Each structure stands twice: as structure tokens, then as C-alpha cells.
């Protein structure tokens, strides 16, 4: 579904993403891990056409990131690390606004919004201004907004940041449900989240993708029993 070739992003003399090559298969959940500043968000921003690569390219569903970004924008969506919610609009207005960018028919907009508010347990707060929601509810709203367009590929940058343990597990279930319908690339600092959700994991260190594999493969490679220890070894450059 996604084929990344030598994708690179430089900020002046900092190479935030360094010649990253990777294939992500249709229908999988791929977790991109790495310590703060490893280059995860920068990678996701390039793949979701928010930021232009310095060099390299990727194909998403056969479309070239460099040459066909308009096509790619039609089939992807993103819930960014800093959620893009309009605080002064209500939850429902946020959803309606996003839906109106994709659909003209008022009835369809209403149906989509209604279904997603239900799926993400946001019905009770639909009339609340988004800025008054708790952090966890804002995350849920952000993901619901990304799903309005029924994307083939969904990028989730730290989807469960700041969520309590119950809300996090609830969201895991919802993400697993989505898996049947789309390819998902997520980032997280919670190792148990990557273990619970990801089919495969990629670990970035200083802009470079240093390891890719299943939880079992990465554990075997490092000789660690716990995935967290395997991650620490790889991400800390001790392998
Ligand atoms: N717009 C920018 N201008 C300059 N440097 C940037 C910019 N965006 C990111 N960087 C730098 O690029 C590097 C990678 O940042 P990025 O946000 O991709 O990391 P990350 O892996 O998502 O980290 P975190 O886990 O903290 O979210 C960092 O050193 C960061 O300071
Ligand atoms: Mg980030």
C-alpha cells in the first residue's frame, strides 16, 4: 500500500529523516517507534503531504507523493500529534465542518457525523465547545474527524497521548476495528500499545530506520524477553 524510497527531510543541517526506505502492506497496522526527536512525526508529515521531502519519494496506493499529492490526499487522512481541532466550535460543528470539505449532500454529512459521534462515544458532548473537552476526548474527536473521509490509509501520530488507561484500551479496540477497513500507521511511546496493536514495528534512531519486524522478531534479534527491553536496546543504539 505504501512504498517508501530514500525519503529524506533536512532542516538546515539537521537530517530529521535520513534516507528512509520501507514497504507497508495493505490492511496492516504499522507502528513507528523511536525516542523524542527520532523523526517519526516528520516522516508522517511527509507521507500525509503536509511537508515536502527534501529528497526521495514514496508511492501510496500507486500514486507518487512528489507528482500526485492531490490524489494521495483523497485517500489518506491524519490525526496529528498536535490535534487540529477548532476549539471554539462544538464537537458536532467540528465534525460537520470537516465533512463539508468532503461531501456536498447535507443528508450524507449528517449521517456520517451521527455515525462517527456514536462510534467514538462523543454523542453526549456533541454540543460542547471542543476546547472544553478533556484531553482524551479531544483525541477521540481528532480521530473521528480523520475518519470522515473514509480513508484507505490513516496516520495516527500518538493517538493515545494523555489518555487514561480505560480510555486508551477503549481506543485500542476502535483502532483494531478500523484495521479491517484501512491501513494504519501509528506512532506511540507506549510499548504495550505497539505490542497490542501493531502487526509490524519500525524503530527510528536519529532519522534512520534501524529495525523493522514483528514484536517476536525484534525480541529474538535482541535476545530480550520483554519488548520494552528490546526497544530500549535498539532505540538506545545498543544493538
Ligand atoms: N519545522 C522544523 N524545523 C526545524 N527542525 C524540526 C522541525 N520539525 C522537526 N524538527 C526536528 O526534527 C527532528 C525530528 O523531529 P520529529 O518531530 O519528527 O520527532 P518525533 O520522532 O516525532 O519526536 P516526538 O516523539 O518527540 O514526537 C527533531 O530534532 C526536531 O527538533
Ligand atoms: Mg512526534
Amino acid at each position: 500500500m505504501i512504498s517508501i524510497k530514500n525519503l529524506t527531510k533536512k532542516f538546515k543541517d539537521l537530517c530529521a529523516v535520513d534516507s528512509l526506505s520501507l514497504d507497508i502492506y495493505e490492511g496492516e497496522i504499522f507502528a513507528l517507534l523511536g525516542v523524542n526527536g527520532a523523526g517519526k512525526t516528520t516522516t508522517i508529515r511527509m507521507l500525509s503531504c503536509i511537508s515536502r521531502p527534501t529528497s526521495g519519494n514514496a508511492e501510496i496506493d500507486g500514486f507518487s507523493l512528489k507528482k500526485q499529492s492531490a490524489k494521495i490526499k483523497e485517500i489518506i487522512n491524519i490525526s496529528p500529534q498536535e490535534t487540529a481541532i477548532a476549539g471554539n466550535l462544538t464537537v458536532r460543528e467540528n465534525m460537520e465542518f470537516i465533512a463539508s470539505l468532503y461531501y456536498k449532500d447535507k443528508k450524507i454529512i449528517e449521517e456520517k457525523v451521527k455515525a462517527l459521534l456514536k462510534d467514538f462515544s462523543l454523542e453526549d458532548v456533541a454540543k460542547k465547545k471542543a476546547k472544553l473537552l478533556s484531553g482524551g476526548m479531544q483525541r477521540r474527536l481528532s480521530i473521528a474527524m480523520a475518519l470522515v473521509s473514509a480513508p484507505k490509509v490513516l496516520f495516527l501520530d500518538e493517538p493515545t497521548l494523555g489518555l487514561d488507561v480505560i480510555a486508551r484500551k477503549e481506543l485500542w479496540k476502535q483502532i483494531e476495528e478500523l484495521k479491517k477497513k484501512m491501513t494504519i500507521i501509528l506512532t506511540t511511546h507506549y510499548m504495550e500499545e505497539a505490542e497490542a496493536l501493531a502487526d509490524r514495528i519500525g524503530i527510528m534512531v536519529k532519522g534512520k530506520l534501524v529495525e523493522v519486524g514483528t514484536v517476536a522478531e525484534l525480541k529474538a534479534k535482541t535476545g530480550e524477553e520483554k519488548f520494552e527491553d528490546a526497544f530500549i536496546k535498539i532505540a538506545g543504539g545498543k544493538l
Side-chain angles (χ1 to χ4, degrees), residues 156-235:
L156 301 173
D157 199 354
E158 301 200 24
T160 65
L161 181 73
L163 261 64
D164 67 64
V165 60
I166 296 171
R168 173 168 304 140
K169 297 226 159 137
E170 198 63 34
L171 198 52
W172 289 1
K173 269 194 226 151
Q174 280 159 328
I175 293 172
E176 265 171 351
E177 279 298 308
L178 295 177
K179 185 185 159 146
K180 296 166 193 160
K181 300 175 208 151
M182 61 194 76
T183 305
I184 297 172
I185 295 89
L186 65 84
T187 76
T188 181
H189 287 296
Y190 303 107
M191 294 304 121
E192 73 275 25
E193 181 161 307
E195 284 187 272
L197 291 178
D199 297 300
R200 289 190 307 144
I201 289 167
I203 300 179
M204 292 183 76
V205 179
K206 293 180 187 156
K208 286 197 169 74
L209 186 69
V210 295
E211 291 291 343
V212 178
T214 63
V215 168
E217 285 166 356
L218 296 175
K219 281 201 251 184
K221 183 144 201 182
T222 52
E224 296 291 346
E225 262 174 48
K226 279 172 65 189
F227 178 64
E228 186 169 77
D229 293 330
F231 171 77
I232 290 169
K233 230 179 200 177
I234 298 166

Side-chain angles (χ1 to χ4, degrees), residues 10-96:
K10 289 188 178 149
F11 297 110
K12 293 192 179 143
D13 48 6
L14 173 82
C15 199
V17 176
D18 191 354
S19 199
L20 188 152
S21 296
L22 169 70
D23 287 327
I24 294 172
Y25 311 123
E26 185 166 3
E28 81 173 330
I29 298 187
F30 190 92
L32 205 49
L33 307 184
V35 300
N36 294 132
K40 306 178 297 293
T41 296
T42 307
T43 301
I44 284 189
R45 285 171 60 88
M46 286 191 282
L47 292 175
S48 51
C49 310
I50 296 170
S51 156
R52 269 175 180 277
T54 308
S55 60
N57 199 6
E59 273 188 9
I60 301 185
D61 204 18
F63 297 117
S64 156
L65 193 63
K66 278 201 159 158
K67 294 188 187 139
Q68 297 168 290
S69 63
K71 288 277 183 201
I72 290 179
K73 283 181 197 163
E74 285 175 16
I75 56 162
I76 61 141
N77 219 325
I78 176 172
S79 170
Q81 186 168 354
E82 308 299 335
T83 57
I85 292 167
N88 279 325
L89 298 184
T90 67
V91 168
R92 183 180 295 280
E93 286 165 349
N94 265 285
M95 293 290 292
E96 284 170 350

